[in-house]
Structure formats: C-alpha cells, structure tokens
Amino acid sequence: MKPTLFLLAAGMGSRYGGLKQLDGLGPNGETIMDYSIFDAIRAGFGKIVWVIRRDFEEQFRSQILSKYEGKVACELCFQALDSLPEGFTCPEGRVKPWGTNHAVLMGKDVINEPFCVINCDDFYGRDAFAQVGKYLSSLPAGVKNQYAMVGFRVCNTLSENGTVARGVCATNEHHHLTDVVERTEIMRVDGKICYKDGDKWVEIAENSPVSMNMWGFTPDYFDYSEAYFKEFLSDPKNMENLKAEFFIPLMVNKLINDGTATVEVLDTTSKWFGVTYAADRPDTVARIKALVEAGEYPETLF
C-alpha cells in the first residue's frame, strides 16, 4: 500500500503577513508545498491530504487542488476550534488553534494507510521524502507502533540571518528517538554550531539530528492521539490557558516514554529551508531557482 502525504496547512502565517502556504515562490508561481508534493510523488506516495481551515477552502481548491486533478488522489479535512471529542466544548475567548497534533487528528477519517506529516511552509528536499517514503512503504501490512522521524543534520538547517529554534534529538544504538529537547537559539559561534543554554554557548556536532516536524506514522497513531487529547482537555490548566496546544512531540514523547512505540530517526542529506518571515522570501526564491537550474526539479512541476 502506497503511503499518504499529510500536509498541515491550517495556519495563517501571521508573522509572514498572509497565507504563505499559497505564496508562489518557484519560477512559474509554484508554492513550497508544490515541491513537497512533487518530491513525495516521485518517492512513491499515492495520496495527498491537506488539513486546512474551512474559511479558505474555496481559495485553496481553486489555487492548489486544481493543479493535481487527474495526477494524484487528493483529500481535504478541516481543523476548527470546536472539533473536539464528545463532552468537551471550546473555552470562551479561545482563538488560537489547538496545535499540530490536533490538526493531525483531523485526518483520521480519510487516512487508512501509513502516512507522513509535514508543514506546508518548509522545504524539505528530495532525499528527505525518499527516506521517509522508503521507510513507510517497507512496513508490513497492519503493523503498529513503529514510527519514524526524519532527522535533519543541524548544519543543514541554519539561517544566515540569526538564530533558529530546533528540536535537538537524542537516539539510542538502534537509531530510535529517546528524547527531543527544544533549543530556541542555535547558530554558528566562531565557526562552530552552538545552542544557548542560559548565558553559555554549548557546541553540538555538525550532523546532530534535529526535528523539522517531518514524521512517519501508521493509522494506530490516531487512536493514541484521540485518547491522549481527552486527557489533555481534562486537565484544567490546559482549558484555562487559552494558548495551550496539543503538539506532535507531546504525543510522541508520551508514546516513547510509555514504551508503547518506537520512532526511528532517519538521516537525510537534504538541506532544509523555509519562509518564516517576509524577509526570508528572496533567499527562498533564489534557492529554488538554483535547484531548478541544477536540474533537481523541472521548471514546470505540474
């Protein structure tokens, strides 16, 4: 069974100033997610699913889905504040979405095969999709509790414009994830990659794996997420905090720590880049152009 690509596209991109998921950055107006989908299809993925907000469904269908008609199977699902388990209601005054793992839960009714979750505004690269596609395609039918995360080499995820925040991963001898520690300030200091710990800069190896929110799951992940989301919502502090979010790493760490699941960290040579701020746009356009000129991508994708 071919795996599915599941794209998280429900965010507005407030720091960027608009719907950056729909911003044309390629030579013919291609979006970052167009390149992700192109890479996924050539890595053997058979279906594309997006989770979006219903209020930009019409624009999304006309600008995005229309490109893929007849080329690959497509599905939409929708994230909303009131998409909650039975017996729970959204707290008054909450406007912030419930987080990435809540968005993943929205795919439960349309995904029945191994799937890869990614952000829509991150450029992951051909090798990253090849690695996770190979992993998911090789899973035995019906297997459970064997997940994966693409571990980008930290040296391939830095910014020339300042510090970046990354989830630095620890692994065991089987290349299974044992811990993810969010380091909010990572950059080169005197030529060495370091993270800020208090007032000190601590060096880390060039190839240390970091999470860029590229995960491989099987459908049983939905059941665990549904059960744990109920626990999350039952905690008064999460209902009182109108910005509390149900993140993917929160769920993954629980499953690892409980001994329920393993997460294999897949090494990739891909160089990540993305558009977090509007000022990042020119560099991203230039990098995509260089990849096209080098023959990594055709000038027209679809």
Side-chain angles (χ1 to χ4, degrees):
M1 183 179 291
K2 290 185 175 182
T4 284
L5 181 65
F6 191 13
L7 298 105
L8 306 184
M12 273 292 292
S14 57
R15 288 178 296 177
Y16 186 68
L19 292 178
K20 59 182 174 180
Q21 295 90 347
L22 304 184
D23 191 9
L25 301 169
N28 289 290
E30 294 86 356
T31 66
I32 282 182
M33 74 172 102
D34 287 329
Y35 287 95
S36 292
I37 292 166
F38 182 86
D39 281 333
I41 291 171
R42 65 178 171 182
F45 286 74
K47 184 169 73 176
I48 313 298
V49 177
W50 293 263
V51 56
I52 65 171
R53 290 198 329 276
R54 198 173 284 278
D55 61 346
F56 69 92
E57 178 184 1
E58 185 177 346
Q59 181 186 6
F60 199 91
R61 286 188 182 278
S62 64
Q63 194 168 337
I64 299 297
L65 283 190
S66 59
K67 298 180 186 181
Y68 305 114
E69 289 177 350
K71 298 180 176 68
V72 65
C74 298
E75 295 268 10
L76 285 183
C77 55
F78 303 94
Q79 184 181 23
L81 287 175
D82 58 0
S83 298
L84 301 175
E86 188 175 348
F88 295 92
T89 56
C90 185
E92 185 178 351
R94 182 171 181 113
V95 295
K96 191 173 183 62
W98 289 103
T100 51
N101 212 55
H102 178 251
V104 170
L105 261 176
M106 300 303 101
K108 182 178 181 181
D109 292 336
V110 296
I111 298 176
N112 302 296
E113 55 282 320
F115 62 100
C116 171
V117 176
I118 65 167
N119 297 330
C120 274
D121 49 1
D122 289 315
F123 194 104
Y124 292 100
R126 180 177 186 171
D127 183 69
F129 283 98
Q131 297 302 327
V132 72
K134 179 181 178 182
Y135 177 87
L136 294 174
S137 298
S138 66
L139 290 173
V143 72
K144 296 181 178 181
N145 306 328
Q146 295 180 26
Y147 309 144
M149 186 205 81
V150 178
F152 282 74
R153 301 172 186 179
V154 67
C155 62
N156 289 333
T157 73
L158 301 179
S159 169
E160 296 179 1
N161 302 315
T163 62
V164 295
R166 300 285 180 256
V168 179
C169 303
T171 60
N172 62 20
E173 67 274 17
H174 304 295
H175 305 290
H176 289 165
L177 186 68
T178 58
D179 192 28
V180 180
V181 179
E182 187 71 16
R183 300 295 182 183
T184 57
E185 294 181 83
I186 300 178
M187 66 183 298
R188 286 196 183 275
V189 179
D190 297 327
K192 299 175 181 179
I193 301 176
C194 300
Y195 64 81
K196 194 80 169 286
D197 186 11
D199 295 329
K200 296 181 179 179
W201 287 102
V202 180
E203 183 181 357
I204 57 174
E206 294 274 324
N207 290 335
S208 296
V210 295
S211 170
M212 302 304 301
N213 211 35
M214 190 177 199
W215 303 89
F217 297 122
T218 46
D220 50 291
Y221 184 80
F222 292 122
D223 296 326
Y224 296 127
S225 297
E226 200 165 50
Y228 195 41
F229 190 42
K230 291 177 183 177
E231 287 187 39
F232 178 90
L233 295 173
S234 297
D235 187 335
K237 74 174 188 292
N238 289 330
M239 296 300 271
E240 292 165 7
N241 178 2
L242 299 181
K243 294 186 176 181
E245 293 186 68
F246 185 48
F247 291 118
I248 294 172
L250 183 69
M251 183 74 253
V252 169
N253 278 330
K254 174 179 169 53
L255 295 173
I256 291 173
N257 293 332
D258 288 351
T260 301
T262 59
V263 178
E264 185 169 336
V265 178
L266 309 174
D267 179 47
T268 180
T269 57
S270 285
K271 294 184 177 181
W272 169 93
F273 54 92
V275 180
T276 302
Y277 303 97
D280 295 329
R281 191 181 189 281
D283 180 60
T284 297
V285 170
R287 292 177 75 165
I288 291 174
K289 183 172 184 286
L291 288 169
V292 172
E293 291 174 348
E296 186 73 14
Y297 298 94
E299 188 162 328
T300 302
L301 291 181
F302 297 99

